[in-house]
Amino acid sequence: MTSVDSTNNYAMGIVQNGAGIHGSAWFAHEQTAGKGQRGKVWKTAPLQNVILSVLLDTSWLPLSKQFYLSMAASLAWHDFYSKYALDETRIKWPNDLYWRDRKAGGMLIETVVKGSKWQWAVVGMGTNVNQGAFEELQRAVSLRQITGKTFDTVALAKELCACLQIRYTQLQQSINNPEKERLLLESYNNILFKRGERVMLRKENTAFTCVIDYVDSNGLLWVKEAMQESFQFGEVQWVL
């Protein structure tokens, strides 16, 4: 697609019309109303980046294992980006791709649940590729800025889809296998942004420092030396 309001919105529309097919992917050169977590707006320059949403069948995956899909998608994203940006690529809990201390992309996973059954997940990934300047995101970075090279964004989107397929297959093989589930979680924590480092977070109006420890299988962030031991999505914000 040349332009769309949001690739996630487009994908969700396909699902709602009963035309969802597992593995379908939508790429756009421009997004006019990109979405981030909790209603935030994701802005990106036209023709410069990878704007991608992939539809995944989650009917086999229990809702109690929801964070495992997030882990698998994050690992796929890291596999893809670190091929070019190398070993300083990290996943910032809960949903951002970082290179060093700079944001390289954002992910939004939206779900379709009927009754108690999780039917579909739309995995949206916005990844900075060729953009050279970020007016509103002072701490953003692109692959071009990291490597000095210009990339074919369509080819990269296909690479990212291939990485996601590999990790989705790994996820299928891991669920209900305690050892493989543990290895998946361990792999995720090995690429966790600022793990073992002191950072500043904010809960409501209070900023505090803590040491990032790990993320558990439910997606809770565990820390040390703070007012509480763990936090849920949206409970705290990073102060960077």
Side-chain angles (χ1 to χ4, degrees):
M1 292 180 287
T2 300
S3 181
V4 69
D5 62 342
S6 158
T7 55
N8 265 32
N9 279 351
Y10 190 90
M12 289 295 284
I14 297 291
V15 173
Q16 298 299 340
N17 288 332
I21 299 174
H22 169 72
S24 298
W26 294 271
F27 171 90
H29 288 291
E30 180 182 26
Q31 217 174 212
T32 58
K35 297 191 294 183
Q37 287 283 352
R38 299 186 179 275
K40 293 180 180 179
V41 176
W42 174 262
K43 294 186 178 180
T44 182
L47 304 172
Q48 300 295 311
N49 306 305
V50 170
I51 305 167
L52 179 72
S53 293
V54 180
L55 180 62
L56 299 177
D57 178 1
T58 52
S59 59
W60 56 273
L61 191 58
L63 275 170
S64 60
K65 304 282 187 179
Q66 195 166 351
F67 186 65
Y68 280 88
L69 178 65
S70 181
M71 284 192 283
S74 295
L75 286 164
W77 208 13
H78 180 272
D79 293 341
F80 157 73
Y81 208 81
S82 61
K83 175 181 175 181
Y84 302 98
L86 304 180
D87 60 0
E88 292 180 284
T89 306
R90 295 289 182 269
I91 295 296
K92 182 171 78 66
W93 178 87
N95 64 307
D96 289 330
L97 183 72
Y98 262 62
W99 181 79
R100 295 184 179 174
D101 285 341
R102 301 172 72 184
K103 185 173 180 176
M107 178 166 62
L108 176 64
I109 299 178
E110 296 185 279
T111 61
V112 177
V113 178
K114 289 192 176 181
S116 60
K117 187 176 182 180
W118 186 10
Q119 293 193 321
W120 298 100
V122 175
V123 180
M125 298 177 177
T127 310
N128 301 332
V129 177
N130 292 323
Q131 193 163 336
F134 299 87
E135 295 180 2
E136 297 186 22
L137 293 172
Q138 299 299 320
R139 300 183 67 89
V141 70
S142 69
L143 275 181
R144 180 183 173 188
Q145 291 174 323
I146 295 168
T147 66
K149 300 176 182 178
T150 300
F151 296 86
D152 180 335
T153 54
V154 175
L156 288 190
K158 291 178 180 178
E159 280 190 38
L160 179 52
C161 286
C163 290
L164 188 58
Q165 176 59 51
I166 291 170
R167 291 294 187 174
Y168 177 85
T169 300
Q170 180 190 8
L171 178 63
Q172 287 182 305
Q173 296 169 348
S174 299
I175 294 302
N176 297 323
N177 182 317
E179 179 61 19
K180 289 184 177 181
E181 286 187 2
R182 185 189 65 79
L183 289 173
L184 190 66
L185 183 59
E186 186 177 287
S187 296
Y188 177 86
N189 276 295
N190 284 341
I191 59 170
L192 186 63
F193 180 70
K194 296 293 185 182
R195 188 181 188 191
E197 298 183 34
R198 182 169 294 280
V199 303
M200 181 171 288
L201 302 177
R202 178 183 293 114
K203 181 176 181 180
E204 297 174 345
N205 296 320
T206 302
F208 60 94
T209 62
C210 63
V211 175
I212 300 297
D213 195 7
Y214 66 97
V215 176
D216 69 18
S217 60
N218 294 313
L220 294 177
L221 176 68
W222 289 78
V223 302
K224 297 177 179 178
E225 302 174 28
M227 57 186 176
Q228 64 188 72
E229 293 182 329
S230 65
F231 300 96
Q232 299 178 355
F233 291 161
E235 192 175 359
V236 291
Q237 293 179 319
W238 293 77
V239 181
L240 298 172

